[in-house]
Amino acid sequence: MLIGRARQRGGVRRIDPRLLAIAGAAFISVSAILFRLSGVSPGTAAFFRCALALPVLAPLALRERRRAGPRRRGAVDVAAGLLLGADLVLWGASIDRVGAGIATVLVNVQVVVVPLLALAVFGERPSRPFALAVPVMLGGVALAGGVAEHGTGTDPAAGIALGVAAGAAYAGYLFLTRVAGRGQEHRAQPVLLSTCGAGAMAVVIGAPWQGVDPAPGWAALGWLAALAVTGQVCGWMLIGAALPRLRAEEGGTLLLLQPVLAVVFGAAVLGERPGFSQIAGCVLVLAAVRLAGRRAGRRSAGRPEGARPPSPPGTVHRRDDSAARAIARSRMGART
């Protein structure tokens, strides 16, 4: 039984965390399409994507609790969820005021904020390739978001302020998720707690501001249920499993694939035809991700955050001292 549990716990850790982050970004990238198909307000979408995810997350979290025990740092998970709920509502509001393209760029300031937080709290210095790639990343995201094809919205100043606030909240969510997940095997429980926090914040902000429709209709509920499963359950469980095992700069960079994948899925599902600048932006983002992840990937690929790097040949660790002494004694006995 213990062996079976160990294998179950180690299953996710055997997967390259970069692949988990990319898969999570793919699930999250479908969110914009499902939100548009639902036809509801940002506050309504933020609330229902959380509420409809709870029946899926609760049994998974209960089973995980029986296997791995209660979740520590639950308060951090709830705090992260509050930031996520604020991000969802603020970003939706910024789209109407500044346009979808610029709003997408603003919310992705997380690629800069998360490494700065890691530097301030943990002393984790970003690599030079990452610093060089950041302007290319943001420029590529801007083009992929359609800045060159669309106007600036109805209220650019307010839209920029809301977008920056959404990006800061998103960065805080990612950072706290990474911190809370260090050294723990829980996957469903943190997402459940953060989803509760996000749903509560969506009501607190969205209800008085944009309104939360308690009965959006069966068709809308169907799209929102799909949004809950893909964006809230699958996406964040995969990302939550990946971030603690990646450097801050690498995790944030891989999540920039989200707008690129959104363009791809928009063309496949909604029949949208991206312009030349959007295609060029996608290429720039992919190139920047490759550049920024080159060194970080070699450092952390497949190794959990905080794990000891491979030692040089001939190095004997403390846990092997007893075995080394036994071998030495046997050799001395053979000589005498």
Side-chain angles (χ1 to χ4, degrees):
M1 182 180 296
L2 293 176
I3 296 176
R5 289 182 179 179
R7 289 176 177 175
Q8 189 176 11
R9 287 195 297 266
V12 175
R13 285 195 169 272
R14 285 196 293 267
I15 303 175
D16 191 328
R18 294 170 296 179
L19 297 179
L20 295 176
I22 293 172
F27 278 108
I28 297 294
S29 65
V30 186
S31 299
I33 297 174
L34 297 173
F35 166 64
R36 289 180 57 186
L37 291 173
S38 70
V40 300
S41 68
T44 302
F47 170 72
F48 275 101
R49 73 178 287 170
C50 297
L52 296 176
L54 294 180
V56 181
L57 290 170
L60 296 176
L62 181 59
R63 179 182 178 185
E64 184 178 78
R65 182 184 176 89
R66 292 171 179 170
R67 174 180 58 82
R71 165 74 172 174
R72 293 183 289 113
R73 304 171 189 165
V76 180
D77 296 322
V78 175
L82 295 175
L83 292 174
L84 176 62
D87 161 54
L88 294 174
V89 177
L90 293 173
W91 182 63
S94 70
I95 291 176
D96 295 333
R97 292 164 174 80
V98 79
I102 297 178
T104 301
V105 177
L106 294 174
V107 80
N108 277 290
V109 298
Q110 59 85 14
V111 75
V112 179
V113 177
V114 173
L116 290 178
L117 289 173
L119 175 63
V121 177
F122 301 117
E124 185 178 306
R125 295 184 177 276
S127 65
R128 185 177 180 183
F130 170 79
L132 295 174
V134 165
V136 182
M137 293 179 199
L138 295 178
V141 171
L143 292 174
V147 170
E149 278 84 13
H150 301 290
T152 56
T154 59
D155 191 351
I160 290 174
L162 292 171
V164 171
Y170 184 40
Y173 168 76
L174 294 176
F175 179 75
L176 290 180
T177 298
R178 182 171 179 260
V179 170
R182 285 187 167 189
Q184 299 201 48
E185 299 293 337
H186 302 84
R187 299 292 173 259
Q189 292 182 65
V191 178
L192 174 66
L193 294 173
S194 63
T195 298
C196 292
M201 182 59 74
V203 173
V204 170
I205 298 179
W209 184 16
Q210 302 164 329
V212 174
D213 186 0
W218 291 111
L221 284 175
W223 293 117
L224 293 173
L227 172 61
V229 173
T230 57
Q232 198 63 29
V233 178
C234 297
W236 290 123
M237 284 188 66
L238 289 168
I239 292 172
L243 290 182
R245 300 168 57 197
L246 294 169
R247 290 178 57 84
E249 63 189 64
E250 190 176 14
T253 298
L254 289 174
L255 292 183
L256 282 186
L257 294 175
Q258 177 186 339
V260 175
L261 295 171
V263 172
V264 174
F265 290 135
V269 177
L270 300 178
E272 297 177 344
R273 294 293 177 262
F276 175 77
S277 62
Q278 287 182 287
I279 297 175
C282 293
V283 173
L284 279 177
V285 171
L286 293 175
V289 169
R290 174 64 178 171
L291 173 63
R294 186 181 302 169
R295 281 181 58 189
R298 287 200 295 265
R299 283 196 300 263
S300 63
R303 192 175 74 241
E305 184 73 29
R308 177 164 37 186
S311 302
T315 301
V316 178
H317 297 294
R318 290 182 179 179
R319 64 182 180 182
D320 297 329
D321 286 349
S322 59
R325 287 195 297 268
I327 294 174
R329 285 196 298 267
S330 64
R331 288 177 177 175
M332 292 177 63
R335 290 174 183 173
T336 58

